[in-house]
């Protein structure tokens, strides 16, 4: 069958347990629990295409408030539009300071729903209410939410509000259904107290506490972190955890329970907020939680931890270790707190002696870059800091931003300075000076970078600039920040601490009243010259046909233009036991290659072609001949491809992940009755995920498996028809980057086209009826317009034709050469 090109997402089970790698969804602040800001599975965007004129603004959706929270991305999510039917789509979730949560189609910008988290008779908190203009004019949802995909999936959101009289203030933690936008549970009202209750800030007071840092979901507990409004006393730092199953309170930590010793800056003993410029708490591989506190009292013997990095035991939140600068009291007095940025955990840094170092990077208003050993943070020493490494004053102006990481490099953007690129040396220490820097100077609050890469290559540093009050998106080559790849025009009002979200070929940024999406105008699956379209062997942007002779083992390519035969070329001859199972661009170089399987021996190989000419062979695993290839997967331009196989005897299904045409690893899919078989594998719109279409040859049932990150997620039912009907081809017939299905009736010769909308059946289009000796051999984009046509062959006479379709409707027929019936068009 014809397969639209796609990528099965890289599988977490097959990679090292570094939280930062191979993200496909962005479900939490900065994309991973380490808070590195790195998405190393970005296979679409690279320095070449981001730096080209093709990259730019795709759409900009208006919202009802400032977008302080980072937009979150969920691929292949079941979504129920307001007043509409459920469907599957890539969804972008955007929260605003007006206490609204939006669900947008991440690819098109279409709005699915908007939910207000205000109760009747409420409004967002105003900056006047709290006597603080740090966030103005209103304060609603500030902390980045966190998502648990679960069944339909849940997004946990922290919202602040007041009654309309302005006499009562409240913070609530909501558990919102990702599909409908409705509360799944009764929201939890944030409340807490700790001993001694005589201290003025030891009872949680909503009008004094701001939920700024992103939410953390860990081991079934949602952790909220609390700062203050402009240091308006009394306040303290809190971490308050709630069980995600029922939103009951699970744990409380007060970082300043005794308020001693007080500084002249906060003479009542208030302090120790958890700001982190919006960064959520970080988590290491053992589940330990890391936060940084702001200015305030420091006395660890009585559990006061001002200006400190804390290592917390999950569940209990007891302090397992900490680091506090030697000049902490001066920092508390002068409001130069350490917690103006958030901790970032690095993957193991290995020195020349093969010693693995477990490091954390932290900075603050003092402008120092602190590199801490997570196994021994360094605690407090009054004379000097006893820590792994310190680069004093390298972050001019102080850091109100957090670090990014890629491939042995740290990226930091302090206020009033450029983004700096620091590299580790062979001693696993940072070089004292930056390796490169941006030419752009970032005013307050600087920039917290997001980084995209494909593994360790194609690194791009993305940065959000507040340029005289206007939001601007920048992209830099990660190997040399002096090379700016892209700079947007002004996008509208800027918001502080905004973080770009980069995922699946798109970049999303929030402004004071909108969310903007950037990317390339062309999308995976569209036929373009040199794009690696599976059936385009001469790179003219139009599909060709493969044929093989079942008697002799000869193989050939028919080159077509607009579905009309032009010429042919021969491929190597193999024993007829060998069968071409499909074609795709295995090397990511824009050239279509072939994969073959031996139906007797179970051998599998890849043929590398150059403009349709055989070049070389790559051997793949040999397995039982009960297994057969039923689909091939891969986004144009990527060297990572996947092969879907099914066992016709046992009903088992697996995916082989290939890299540059070579076998890498296997991922299991569900096992079902052998009555079911895969009839097509298709891309969901531009999100690098897969649909697998199956039909039951006995009952006539049809279903679509939705995969998420390569693993089975859920099933969508398609129509049930008589078993006389069979799925004959799967392709994009409307040019909307969505798969549709051609069915043919093996008894009557009828043909129909099922139009799908995000994987769900939408409507039927009738196609011509022909004699039953005519069989659909596949579907492909013969015109190069993104809309597929159909290839047919007569099993008796050897005649062949293409049906040219326009928007799914039959338009005309082109006649192809007649060849002996043992020559068969390879299903594609």
């Amino acid at each position: 069958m014809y397969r639209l090109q796609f990528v099965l997402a890289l599988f977490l089970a097959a990679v090292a347990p570094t939280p930062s790698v191979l993200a496909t969804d962005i479900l939490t602040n900065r994309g991973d629990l380490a808070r590195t800001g790195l998405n190393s599975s970005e296979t679409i965007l690279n320095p070449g295409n981001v730096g080209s004129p093709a990259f730019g603004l795709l759409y900009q959706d208006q919202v009802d408030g400032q977008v302080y929270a980072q937009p979150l991305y969920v691929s292949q999510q079941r979504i129920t539009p307001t007043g509409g039917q459920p469907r599957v789509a890539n969804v972008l979730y955007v929260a605003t300071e007006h206490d609204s949560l939006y669900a947008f189609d991440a690819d098109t910008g279409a709005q699915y729903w908007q939910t207000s988290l205000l109760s009747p008779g409420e409004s967002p908190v105003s900056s006047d209410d709290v006597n603080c203009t740090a966030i103005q004019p209103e304060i609603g949802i500030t902390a980045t939410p966190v998502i648990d995909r679960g069944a339909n999936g849940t997004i946990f959101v922290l919202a602040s509000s007041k009654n309309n009289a302005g006499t009562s203030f409240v913070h609530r933690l909501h558990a919102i259904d990702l599909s409908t936008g409705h509360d799944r549970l009764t929201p939890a009202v944030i409340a807490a107290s700790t001993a001694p209750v005589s201290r003025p800030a030891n009872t949680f007071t909503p009008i004094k506490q701001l939920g700024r840092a992103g939410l953390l979901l860990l081991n079934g507990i949602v952790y909220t972190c609390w700062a203050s409004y402009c240091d308006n006393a009394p306040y303290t730092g809190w971490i308050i955890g709630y069980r995600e199953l029922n939103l009951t309170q699970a744990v409380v930590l007060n970082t300043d329970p005794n308020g001693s010793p007080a500084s002249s800056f906060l003479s009542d003993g208030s302090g120790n907020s958890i700001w982190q410029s919006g960064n959520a708490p970080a988590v290491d591989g053992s589940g330990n939680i890391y936060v940084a506190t702001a200015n305030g009292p420091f006395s660890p013997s009585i559990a006061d931890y001002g200006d400190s990095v804390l290592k917390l035991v999950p569940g209990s939140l007891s302090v397992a270790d900490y680091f506090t600068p030697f000049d902490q009291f001066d920092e508390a007095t002068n409001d130069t707190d350490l917690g103006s940025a958030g901790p970032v955990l690095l993957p193991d840094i290995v020195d020349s002696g093969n010693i693995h170092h477990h490091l954390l990077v932290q900075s603050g208003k003092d402008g120092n870059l602190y590199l801490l050993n997570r196994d021994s943070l360094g605690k407090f020493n009054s004379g000097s800091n006893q820590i792994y490494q310190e680069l004093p004053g390298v972050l001019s102006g102080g850091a109100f931003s957090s670090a990014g990481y890629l491939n042995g490099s740290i990226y930091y953007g302090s206020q009033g300075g450029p983004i700096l690129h620091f590299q580790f040396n062979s001693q696993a220490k940072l070089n004292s000076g930056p390796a490169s820097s941006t030419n752009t100077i970032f005013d307050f609050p600087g920039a917290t970078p997001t980084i995209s890469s494909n593994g360790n290559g194609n690194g791009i540093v993305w940065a959000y600039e507040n340029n005289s009050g206007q939001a601007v998106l920048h992209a830099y080559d990660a190997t040399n920040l002096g090379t700016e790849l892209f700079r947007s025009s002004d996008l509208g009002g800027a918001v502080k601490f905004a973080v770009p979200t980069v995922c699946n070929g798109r970049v999303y940024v929030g402004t004071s009243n909108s969310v903007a999406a950037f990317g390339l105008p062309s999308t995976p699956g569209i036929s373009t010259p040199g794009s690696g379209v599976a059936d385009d062997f001469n790179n003219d942007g139009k599909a060709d046909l493969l044929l093989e002779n079942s008697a002799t083992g000869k193989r050939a390519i028919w080159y077509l233009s607009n579905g009309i035969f032009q010429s042919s070329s021969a491929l190597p001859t193999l024993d007829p036991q060998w069968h071409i199972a499909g074609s795709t661009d295995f090397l990511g170089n824009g050239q279509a290659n072939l994969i073959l399987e031996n139906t007797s021996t179970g051998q599998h190989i890849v043929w590398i072609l150059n403009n349709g000419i055989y070049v070389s062979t790559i051997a793949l695993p040999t397995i039982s001949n009960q297994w057969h290839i039923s689909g091939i997967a891969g986004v144009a331009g990527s060297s990572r491809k996947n092969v879907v196989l099914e066992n016709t005897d046992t009903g088992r299904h697996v995916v082989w992940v290939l890299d540059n045409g070579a076998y890498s690893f296997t991922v299991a899919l569900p096992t079902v009755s052998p009555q079911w078989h895969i009839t097509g594998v298709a891309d969901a719109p531009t999100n690098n995920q897969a649909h697998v279409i199956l039909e039951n040859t006995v009952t006539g049932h049809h279903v679509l498996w939705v995969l998420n990150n390569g693993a089975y997620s859920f099933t969508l039912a398609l129509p049930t028809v008589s078993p006389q009907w069979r799925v004959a081809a799967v392709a994009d017939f409307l040019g909307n980057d969505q798969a549709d299905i051609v069915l043919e009736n093996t008894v009557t010769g009828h043909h129909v086209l099922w139009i799908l909308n995000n994987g769900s059946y939408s409507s039927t289009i009738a196609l011509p009826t022909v004699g039953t000796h005519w069989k659909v051999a596949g579907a492909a984009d013969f015109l190069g317009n993104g809309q597929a046509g159909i290839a047919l062959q007569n099993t008796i006479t050897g005649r062949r034709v293409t049906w040219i379709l326009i928007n799914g409707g039959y338009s005309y027929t082109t006649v192809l050469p007649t060849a002996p019936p043992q020559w068969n068009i390879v299903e594609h």
Side-chain angles (χ1 to χ4, degrees):
M1 313 300 292
Y2 177 86
R3 280 94 187 179
L4 292 177
Q5 293 186 324
F6 69 86
V7 164
L8 284 174
L10 302 176
F11 307 102
L12 296 178
V15 301
T18 304
S20 63
V21 297
L22 302 179
T24 333
D25 298 333
I26 304 297
L27 307 179
T28 187
N29 174 240
R30 308 206 63 208
D32 59 35
L33 293 181
R35 312 303 172 191
T36 63
L38 172 62
N39 176 3
S40 62
S41 62
E42 178 50 61
T43 59
I44 298 174
L45 299 178
N46 58 59
N49 57 35
V50 169
S52 74
F55 183 84
L57 181 66
L58 299 176
Y59 63 82
Q60 191 164 6
D61 285 332
Q62 298 300 301
V63 294
D64 63 6
Q66 297 184 83
V67 182
Y68 267 69
Q70 181 179 357
L72 300 178
Y73 180 108
V74 184
S75 63
Q76 286 298 269
Q77 171 61 39
R78 185 179 179 87
I79 190 77
T80 305
T82 301
Q85 296 299 311
R87 62 190 67 180
V88 176
N90 301 325
V91 183
L92 189 73
Y93 293 91
V94 179
T96 74
E97 294 291 354
H98 195 66
D99 278 316
S100 288
L101 180 67
Y102 291 82
F104 293 109
D105 187 291
D107 302 317
T108 67
Q111 181 177 315
Y112 288 121
W113 48 252
Q114 175 189 356
T115 294
S116 175
L117 275 60
L118 295 168
S119 294
E122 288 187 343
S123 60
V125 177
S126 77
S127 53
D128 292 338
D129 292 326
V130 295
N131 190 30
C132 177
T133 58
I135 302 174
Q136 58 177 330
E138 58 185 5
I139 304 153
I141 303 169
T142 306
T144 299
V146 67
I147 291 174
D148 185 347
R149 292 211 59 160
N152 273 349
T154 304
I155 181 169
F156 296 93
V157 186
L158 188 62
S160 304
S161 59
K162 65 176 181 179
N163 64 4
N164 286 341
T167 58
S168 177
F169 299 83
V170 66
H171 305 288
R172 296 186 184 94
L173 178 63
H174 293 257
I176 304 294
D177 187 294
L178 284 182
S179 178
T180 64
H182 300 153
D183 276 298
R184 306 189 75 162
L185 301 167
T186 301
V189 174
I190 307 298
S193 63
T194 57
V197 293
S198 59
R199 291 291 305 142
N202 283 13
T203 297
F204 184 91
T205 305
I207 198 172
K208 294 296 184 180
Q209 305 285 173
L210 168 66
R212 179 64 192 101
L215 303 185
L216 165 67
L217 174 60
L218 182 67
N219 299 329
I221 297 177
V222 181
Y223 294 92
T224 66
C225 297
W226 297 91
S228 61
Y229 295 104
C230 292
D231 284 314
N232 292 332
Y235 71 89
T236 185
W238 297 87
I239 304 178
I240 308 174
Y242 293 85
R243 299 175 183 88
E244 71 166 318
L245 292 179
N246 52 24
L247 296 187
T248 57
Q249 193 170 101
V251 64
V252 175
L253 172 67
N254 184 343
T255 60
D256 184 21
N258 291 285
S260 178
S263 69
S264 58
F265 184 78
L266 292 165
S267 57
D268 74 329
S270 289
N272 303 1
S273 288
I274 301 173
W275 293 95
Q276 303 192 157
S277 296
N279 247 40
V283 181
D284 66 19
S286 299
N288 298 301
I289 300 170
Y290 297 80
V291 296
T293 62
N295 55 294
F298 172 73
S299 182
S301 63
I302 55 174
D304 289 345
Y305 290 99
D307 301 292
S308 299
V309 174
L310 304 180
K311 179 179 182 179
L312 306 173
V313 177
S316 69
L317 294 182
S318 59
V319 178
D321 197 4
Y322 67 92
F323 161 68
T324 309
F326 76 95
D327 55 352
Q328 184 277 329
F329 189 78
D330 290 338
E331 292 195 352
T333 301
N334 297 307
D335 188 27
T336 52
D337 44 289
L338 183 67
S340 60
V344 173
L345 311 187
L346 306 181
D348 284 8
I349 305 297
V350 184
D351 63 23
S352 57
N354 202 35
I355 297 175
H356 291 241
H357 299 269
H358 309 134
L359 303 179
L360 172 158
V361 61
Q362 177 66 33
S363 60
K365 294 181 184 178
D366 59 12
N368 301 332
L369 195 159
Y370 299 100
L371 201 58
L372 308 181
N373 177 1
R374 301 200 305 266
D375 300 326
S376 179
L377 291 177
K379 293 189 170 58
F380 174 76
N381 293 274
S382 60
S384 62
N385 296 324
Q386 305 298 309
I387 61 174
Y388 183 83
Q389 187 182 8
E390 181 177 348
L391 298 181
V394 295
L395 303 174
S396 60
F400 295 83
S401 55
S402 299
Y405 174 82
L406 171 66
N407 192 27
S409 292
I410 290 172
Y411 302 86
Y412 245 122
S414 59
Q415 71 157 340
I419 299 177
L420 301 177
H421 167 206
F422 297 93
Q423 290 181 316
F424 281 94
N425 57 36
S426 60
Q427 285 73 50
K429 295 290 183 73
L430 289 174
N431 294 324
S432 58
S436 65
S437 62
T438 64
N439 294 317
T440 305
I441 301 300
F442 289 80
D443 292 335
F444 179 81
T448 292
T450 294
I451 301 171
S452 64
S453 70
N454 187 0
N456 287 330
N458 289 335
I460 301 173
V461 174
W462 303 89
Y464 182 106
E465 181 191 8
N466 182 345
N467 181 18
S468 301
Q470 290 291 305
V472 176
L473 175 67
H474 297 263
Y476 302 95
D477 188 321
T479 62
N480 180 6
L481 296 181
T483 302
E484 185 173 49
L485 305 171
F486 175 80
R487 175 192 174 104
S488 75
S489 59
D490 292 346
L491 300 174
V495 295
K496 293 192 291 290
F497 314 124
V499 180
T501 296
V502 183
C503 191
N504 296 326
R506 296 286 189 267
V507 184
Y508 306 94
V509 294
T511 75
S512 61
N513 64 355
S514 70
V515 61
F518 295 82
L520 299 166
S522 59
T523 54
I526 297 296
S527 298
T528 55
S531 67
V533 171
D535 313 293
D536 178 15
F537 292 93
N538 58 356
N539 282 330
D540 65 352
K542 300 172 183 179
D544 306 307
L545 291 177
L546 282 165
L547 292 93
E548 61 184 359
N549 191 309
S550 59
T552 66
K554 291 183 177 180
R555 290 161 179 85
I557 299 172
W558 281 1
Y559 298 102
L560 310 184
S561 177
N562 296 322
I564 300 171
F565 175 82
Q566 303 295 311
S567 62
S568 65
S569 66
L571 293 169
T573 297
L574 288 178
D575 187 286
Q577 295 175 346
W578 285 94
H579 167 66
I580 296 175
S583 60
T584 193
D585 172 16
F586 284 107
L587 303 186
N589 63 355
Q591 296 284 338
N593 313 123
L594 305 179
I595 188 168
L596 299 92
E597 64 183 354
N598 191 307
T599 56
S600 294
T601 66
Q603 293 174 279
H604 296 78
I605 57 175
V606 169
W607 275 356
I608 301 301
L609 308 184
N610 184 8
N611 290 318
I613 306 301
Y614 169 82
V615 175
S616 61
T617 294
I618 300 173
L620 297 176
T622 296
I623 54 177
S624 164
N625 59 11
Q626 297 170 348
W627 288 93
H628 296 287
I629 293 173
S630 55
I632 303 174
V635 158
S638 170
S639 63
R640 184 175 288 269
K641 297 294 185 289
N642 305 273
V643 179
V644 182
L645 300 97
E646 69 179 352
N647 190 307
T648 54
D649 286 358
T650 66
R652 292 178 60 199
H653 300 81
V654 299
V655 173
W656 281 354
V657 179
L658 309 187
D659 199 351
N660 284 303
Y663 171 81
S664 183
F665 58 90
T666 295
V667 177
L669 294 176
T671 297
V672 293
S673 164
Q675 294 176 353
W676 289 93
H677 70 102
I678 295 176
T679 59
V681 182
D683 184 24
T686 69
N687 71 337
N688 305 341
Q689 302 280 359
H691 291 325
V692 176
I693 298 167
L694 300 95
E695 69 180 353
N696 191 306
T697 55
V698 176
T699 67
H701 284 80
H702 295 80
V703 298
L704 182 145
W705 284 350
V706 176
L707 306 187
N708 175 46
N709 291 335
Y712 169 81
S713 181
F714 59 89
T715 296
L716 291 173
L718 297 174
T720 297
V721 292
S722 165
Q724 295 175 353
W725 289 92
R726 73 175 187 95
V727 173
V730 177
D732 173 14
F733 290 91
L734 301 187
N736 62 355
D737 299 307
Q738 301 199 36
D740 308 301
I741 300 174
V742 176
L743 295 95
E744 67 181 356
N745 192 305
T746 56
V747 175
T748 67
H750 285 78
H751 295 80
V752 297
L753 176 62
W754 281 353
I755 301 299
L756 305 187
N757 185 2
N758 292 308
S760 295
Y761 169 80
S762 177
S763 60
T764 295
I765 298 175
L767 297 174
T769 298
V770 293
T772 55
H773 295 312
W774 285 95
K775 301 296 182 185
V776 172
D781 178 11
F782 296 112
L783 301 185
N785 64 351
Q787 299 182 13
I790 298 173
L792 300 96
Q793 60 187 12
N794 191 307
T795 57
I796 300 297
T797 66
R799 293 178 59 199
R800 291 160 180 84
V801 299
T802 62
W803 284 350
I804 301 301
L805 308 186
I806 303 298
N807 293 321
Y810 171 80
S811 181
Y812 61 91
T813 295
T814 67
V815 178
L816 299 173
T818 297
Q822 59 262 40
W823 281 96
N824 295 297
I825 297 174
V826 176
E827 292 186 350
H828 56 297

